[in-house]
Amino acid sequence: DIQMTQSPSTLSASVGDRVTITCRASQSISTWLAWYQQKPGKAPNLLIYKASSLESGVPSRFSGSGSGTEFTLTISSLQPDDFATYYCQQYNSYPYTFGQGTKLEIK
Amino acid sequence: QVQLQESGPGLVKPSQTLSLTCTVSGGSMTIGGQYWTWIRQHPGEGLEWIGNIYYSGSTDYNPSLKSRVTISVDTSKNQFSLKLSSVTAADTAVYYCARVGFTPTARGWFDPWGQGTLVTVSS
C-alpha cells in the first residue's frame, strides 16, 4: 500500500495568514492526488484533484501543487470558514489511501 | 446535481453482518460510466477506503477488508450497497458513500459524498 504522510498534524494560524500543508507519498504517485476539507460532524468536501485542479465552486484562495512524492495545499489568506481538518488522498493505485489529516486551528 | 444518502441499521451485534445502502438522486448511476465507492472513518480518526463498484457490477476492494466485504449495485433503484461480515468493535465507524470522480484520462477522487452514517458494533 502507498503510505501518505501529512505534516504538520496540527497547525495554528490566524485569519489572513498564508498556510501550507504538506503531503508525502511513500512512492511516486505522479499527480494522482486529491485534497479534502472536513468539518466536525460533516463529510469531507473535495477541494482539489489531480494535485492542482481546483474543484468547481471552491474558493481560489485554495491551491495545490506537487508531483511524484511531495505535494502541498496552500491557503493564501485564511478565512474563518477554513478552520477544519484537511486530508490528502492518493488514487495512483489500489488501495486508495489517505493521509492522517492536518487540523487547522485558530491561533 | 447528484446527491447520495446512506441508510441502514446504526447498531450491529458482533459477528453479524453490517448492511448499508446508498441511494443516488439527481442523476442516473449509469450515465458516463461512473464508479461508486464506500469509505469509513473510525471515531476521531482518519479515512479508510473500503471499495469501488462500477455500474456494471465490477468491484475493487481494499485487501485489508476484502475477505469480509461485498459491494453490489441495483441500477433499477439507483442504489448500491455494502455488506461487511463478521463485524467486531473495530468496525465501529462512520460509513460514507461517494461517487468516484473522473475525467477522460483519470478517476479516483471522491465527490460528492453522502452525509455519513454511524454504525456501532456492540452487543
Side-chain angles (χ1 to χ4, degrees), chain A residues 28-31 51 65-71:
Chain A
S28 178
I29 58 170
S30 183
T31 55
S65 65
S67 66
T69 62
E70 187 155 336
F71 303 85

Side-chain angles (χ1 to χ4, degrees), chain B residues 10-123:
Chain B
L11 181 64
V12 180
K13 289 182 167 51
S15 80
Q16 294 190 343
T17 296
L18 177 160
S19 296
L20 295 173
T21 296
C22 182
T23 300
V24 179
S25 59
S28 170
M29 291 184 67
T30 63
I31 292 178
Q34 295 171 106
Y35 285 74
W36 306 88
T37 195
W38 287 97
I39 297 155
R40 70 180 182 179
Q41 186 170 34
H42 295 102
E45 296 185 20
L47 297 154
E48 180 180 29
W49 174 72
I50 298 171
N52 286 352
I53 189 163
Y54 191 47
Y55 76 93
S56 65
S58 64
T59 54
D60 294 286
Y61 298 136
N62 191 324
S64 68
L65 297 168
K66 187 174 183 177
S67 63
R68 299 193 291 130
V69 170
T70 302
I71 299 176
S72 59
V73 64
D74 185 340
T75 54
S76 68
K77 295 182 179 179
N78 234 30
Q79 295 176 334
F80 61 106
S81 299
L82 169 70
K83 291 188 185 299
L84 182 65
S85 64
S86 304
V87 297
T88 69
D91 295 308
T92 294
V94 175
Y95 287 77
Y96 296 101
C97 60
R99 181 178 61 182
V100 180
F102 68 100
T103 65
T105 56
R107 70 170 185 271
W109 56 96
F110 307 126
D111 179 64
W113 298 55
Q115 66 184 26
T117 187
L118 175 63
V119 178
T120 301
V121 178
S122 175
S123 56

Side-chain angles (χ1 to χ4, degrees), chain A residues 32 36 38 43 55 87 89 94, chain B residues 41 60 96 106 108 110-111 114:
Chain A
W32 306 128
Y36 302 87
Q38 186 178 33
E55 172 69 355
Y87 293 95
Q89 175 236 333
Y94 291 138
Chain B
Q41 186 170 34
D60 294 286
Y96 296 101
F110 307 126
D111 179 64

Side-chain angles (χ1 to χ4, degrees), chain A residues 33-51:
Chain A
L33 184 99
W35 288 98
Y36 302 87
Q37 177 193 69
Q38 186 178 33
K39 296 181 178 178
K42 300 292 187 182
N45 182 52
L46 176 70
L47 299 173
I48 287 168
Y49 62 97
K50 204 171 182 294

